[in-house]
Amino acid sequence: MTAQREWYEKDYYKVLGVAENASAKDLTKAYRKLARQHHPDANPGNDAAEERFKEISAAYDVLGDDAKRKEYDEVRKLGPLGGMGGPGGGPGGFGGPGGFTFNAGDAGLGDLLGGLFGNQGRRRGAGASGVGPQRGTDVEATLSLTFEDAATGLETTLYLTADSQCSTCNGSGARPGTSPKVCATCGGRGVTADNQGPFSFSAPCRTCGGSGSVIEYPCGSCRGTGVERRPREVKVRIPAGVADGQRIRIKHRGGPGRNGGPAGDLFVECHVAPHARFGRDHENLTVKVPITYPQAVLGGEIDVPVLEGGTVKLRIKAGTQPGSRHRVKGRGIHTTKHAGDLIVTVDVVVPTTLTDDQRAAVEQLARTFSPPSRAGAEG
């Protein structure tokens, strides 16, 4: 993994508004809040919001990855000269015997010396467009699910309006029938060298902007960017057991990469509607089932509804108490790692009206019982 120039220049913690010791959970929470606020779909035509969204996504791409975050923290501790040290640059980390070499990623001293030798114009010029492949931006989407679909999982199609590979030029940026040409200035390397006596400066090529190629006849649809904003259909697989508010990452289905870079990711936030009868406790489903007083006293089999429809039999013991919980194995939510159960809470129903025969039977039953002990009861 190689540190990027932006790591020396940008405080990603400040971008996300979190402390440097923020937990992974706090980072994700801050990212979600800012991404929703500045997402292009929520701010159509607002270029500032789109740039802010890209900045937020770039920050989370680094801090949200443990390995990248660790390297980023180490680079930041070194300060603006951190990019010059280490092996590969000869003694002291410099360009090798006989001279010093500073490339476009060497912020700090490289820029300072470049200014001393009349090289101010190359401090941050074409390099801002990015030398070499660039990862595409992440895309945020929301999906509303029924309780049943969230429990069992499903395949569905999301309809998005987002950056996509240009359908006219297939992402090349060149008008159909033409193709980008290798930049004659840098020979396709994307950088040019400028010798200043004992110093050699490497900077992004001004002609091609660091891409290594030149588009003579830009595509009329995307104006040479290779990317257009248009409606997209993305098929996604929602796994069984997804919870309300859960965020699912679908790799490489986000914005297209630049200069041959990989696409970004698609993050889908799921909103699960409540069920009229069933509840949920992790992978377990919960349900309340009414029973009669005789069933509670005598025990026996009762019918219990299941999520997929129909009922299953549950045997309860004699003397079952109101509010007691009973388990039906394997009738909860099935995920790739675990099969949940159905947790049944029994509710003894006391009738509000009785027939004459029922009343007589209850009165006869009451005469057979002694009053319950009230010892220890509060007065």
Side-chain angles (χ1 to χ4, degrees):
M1 191 183 301
T2 304
Q4 305 297 316
R5 175 188 180 125
E6 289 80 4
W7 292 13
Y8 304 100
E9 300 174 342
K10 292 188 177 182
D11 185 344
Y12 287 148
Y13 291 102
K14 187 176 180 180
V15 170
L16 295 180
V18 297
E20 293 188 5
N21 61 349
S23 66
K25 184 178 180 180
D26 289 338
L27 284 170
T28 301
K29 183 178 179 180
Y31 168 72
R32 289 181 183 177
K33 179 180 178 182
L34 292 172
R36 282 195 295 266
Q37 180 181 351
H38 298 282
H39 195 281
D41 288 348
N43 302 272
N46 189 333
D47 294 338
E50 184 172 353
E51 289 302 315
R52 175 70 172 135
F53 179 76
K54 291 179 180 179
E55 184 181 39
I56 294 165
S57 298
Y60 186 68
D61 181 59
V62 174
L63 300 184
D65 183 297
D66 291 341
K68 287 183 181 179
R69 181 181 181 182
K70 181 179 180 181
E71 186 172 358
Y72 173 77
D73 290 341
E74 292 175 352
V75 166
R76 296 286 295 178
K77 289 178 183 178
L78 296 176
L81 303 184
M84 297 170 52
F94 295 98
F100 300 84
T101 300
F102 301 95
N103 60 38
D106 295 329
L109 186 57
D111 288 338
L112 174 61
L113 293 178
L116 293 176
F117 288 92
N119 204 31
Q120 298 98 320
R122 299 190 183 184
R123 289 180 65 187
R124 290 179 176 84
S129 64
V131 178
Q134 287 183 297
R135 182 181 179 274
T137 58
D138 292 333
V139 175
E140 296 274 345
T142 58
L143 177 63
S144 296
L145 299 169
T146 65
F147 190 92
E148 291 89 345
D149 285 341
T152 59
L154 81 161
E155 288 186 0
T156 187
T157 300
L158 294 178
Y159 298 92
L160 312 172
T161 299
D163 287 344
S164 304
Q165 179 177 284
C166 178
S167 57
T168 302
C169 66
N170 294 322
S172 70
R175 185 188 304 169
T178 68
S179 59
K181 292 186 177 181
V182 175
C183 177
T185 303
C186 64
R189 294 185 300 114
V191 294
T192 56
D194 184 10
N195 294 318
Q196 300 279 357
F199 299 96
S200 177
F201 296 92
S202 178
C205 176
R206 290 183 174 182
T207 303
C208 65
S211 66
S213 61
V214 175
I215 300 175
E216 293 182 312
Y217 306 100
C219 170
S221 298
C222 65
R223 299 180 181 179
T225 64
V227 175
E228 63 178 351
R229 192 166 184 82
R230 57 182 171 85
R232 289 173 51 195
E233 295 183 10
V234 182
K235 290 186 176 181
V236 296
R237 172 66 185 171
I238 304 300
V242 64
D244 183 43
Q246 184 173 339
R247 196 162 172 260
I248 298 174
R249 178 184 182 184
I250 303 173
K251 291 185 177 181
H252 309 313
R253 300 309 302 270
R258 307 288 181 97
N259 301 329
D265 298 331
L266 172 62
F267 290 89
V268 181
E269 185 170 312
C270 298
H271 298 288
V272 181
H275 195 278
R277 186 162 196 179
F278 291 92
R280 179 173 174 181
D281 182 10
H282 300 288
E283 282 81 26
N284 294 330
L285 291 175
T286 61
V287 66
K288 286 186 177 181
V289 176
I291 62 174
T292 64
Y293 176 73
Q295 286 176 313
V297 173
L298 301 176
E301 286 189 343
I302 61 173
D303 290 323
V304 175
V306 289
L307 185 62
E308 58 269 28
T311 60
V312 294
K313 295 292 185 181
L314 171 66
R315 177 169 290 278
I316 57 175
K317 297 179 180 179
T320 293
Q321 298 300 304
S324 59
R325 290 160 58 93
H326 309 264
R327 186 181 300 268
V328 181
K329 282 284 189 180
R331 299 312 294 256
I333 295 173
H334 288 238
T335 66
T336 55
K337 297 181 179 180
H338 183 70
D341 302 327
L342 177 62
I343 307 300
V344 182
T345 301
V346 296
D347 184 15
V348 178
V349 178
V350 178
T352 56
T353 59
L354 295 172
T355 66
D356 291 340
D357 290 342
Q358 289 172 335
R359 178 174 292 277
V362 172
E363 290 174 347
Q364 175 62 32
L365 178 64
R367 287 192 287 270
T368 66
F369 283 95
S370 300
S373 173
R374 289 182 170 78
E378 295 183 0

